[in-house]
Amino acid sequence: MTTLRAFTCDDLFRFNNIGQHRGARRGGRCEYLAHWPEYFIVAEAPGGELMGYIMGKAEGSVAREEWHGHVTALSVAPEFRRLGLAAKLMELLEEISERKGGFFVDLFVRVSNQVAVNMYKQLGYSVYRTVIEYYSASNGEPDEDAYDMRKALSRDTEKKSIIPLPHPVRPEDIE
Ligand SMILES: CC(C)(COP(=O)(O)OP(=O)(O)OC[C@H]1O[C@@H](n2cnc3c(N)ncnc32)[C@H](O)[C@@H]1OP(=O)(O)O)[C@@H](O)C(=O)NCCC(=O)NCCS
């Protein structure tokens, strides 16, 4: 049986079998966890093995109707994929964002990551904008664009937050 539980600081050092990406490296510190503990959820197997995790936060201006939940990192270990785990973790993050009064949930994903892009579309997300060279070159990989994908929450009754931008933006243009 899968256990879904809150992150501990120790969990941040146990991700070798799952992998990390830009968001996890940049944001996966204990201080970050301390700011948004409810947005950090771990899925654990009965033997204690980490199956997957989601890290997120709440951010944005309430006045401009941009207050939202953000997915910083989502990863499921290869042996536990296609079991609906990522979908469940996303559902939990959306519920938390609803409770906090967010207008939408958003995330950044590599444009080449077709599996993830299609999964997010399956979960109701759409491309809001393309962010040019959001992912900097590293480990021999070139710079890569990101899709900023969004899903409107119930507070955004007119779904204004997900109207796609007509042009791509640069990383320095995003808040
Ligand atoms: C993307 C990832 C998180 C998906 O995790 P997962 O637990 O296997 O996903 P789920 O089982 O919840 O899949 C939900 C739906 O997404 C789609 N999907 C997920 N993985 C898929 C795949 N490999 N091929 C096709 N569709 C896929 C399916 O529609 C699936 O529903 P279904 O199984 O009922 O058909 C996982 O593959 C992963 O950790 N990848 C590496 C890290 C990553 O890319 N993270 C996201 C970056 S922002």
Side-chain angles (χ1 to χ4, degrees), residues 18-21 51-53 71-78 80-90 107-110 113-123 135 147:
I18 301 188
Q20 300 186 358
H21 46 77
M51 303 167 81
Y53 63 84
V71 180
T72 307
L74 169 67
S75 201
V76 173
F80 298 112
R81 288 181 186 167
R82 295 311 290 274
L83 299 174
L85 214 46
K88 182 67 195 171
L89 291 166
M90 288 296 293
L107 57 96
F108 295 94
V109 58
R110 287 179 184 274
N113 191 349
Q114 273 308 309
V115 165
V117 171
N118 288 335
M119 178 191 74
Y120 291 128
K121 286 182 178 168
Q122 196 74 25
L123 298 178
Y135 296 99
Y147 288 138

Side-chain angles (χ1 to χ4, degrees), residues 4 6 11 31 43 63 65 72 77 86 94 107 113-114 119 123 135 137 141 148 150-151 157-158 164:
L4 295 168
D11 290 323
E31 316 90 72
E65 300 194 359
T72 307
E94 288 163 18
L107 57 96
N113 191 349
Q114 273 308 309
M119 178 191 74
L123 298 178
Y135 296 99
E141 292 175 22
D148 178 1
R150 291 186 176 187
K151 179 177 179 174
T157 47
E158 294 171 37

Side-chain angles (χ1 to χ4, degrees), residues 79-144:
E79 60 272 36
F80 298 112
R81 288 181 186 167
R82 295 311 290 274
L83 299 174
L85 214 46
K88 182 67 195 171
L89 291 166
M90 288 296 293
E91 186 188 316
L92 291 172
L93 189 138
E94 288 163 18
E95 283 172 13
I96 294 160
S97 303
E98 283 278 5
R99 283 206 298 276
K100 288 191 170 291
F103 289 89
F104 60 92
V105 169
D106 82 342
L107 57 96
F108 295 94
V109 58
R110 287 179 184 274
V111 298
S112 66
N113 191 349
Q114 273 308 309
V115 165
V117 171
N118 288 335
M119 178 191 74
Y120 291 128
K121 286 182 178 168
Q122 196 74 25
L123 298 178
Y125 289 74
S126 54
V127 175
Y128 169 66
R129 59 188 169 184
T130 301
V131 187
I132 297 164
E133 295 175 350
Y134 177 75
Y135 296 99
S136 327
S138 68
N139 299 328
E141 292 175 22
D143 289 345
E144 187 173 347

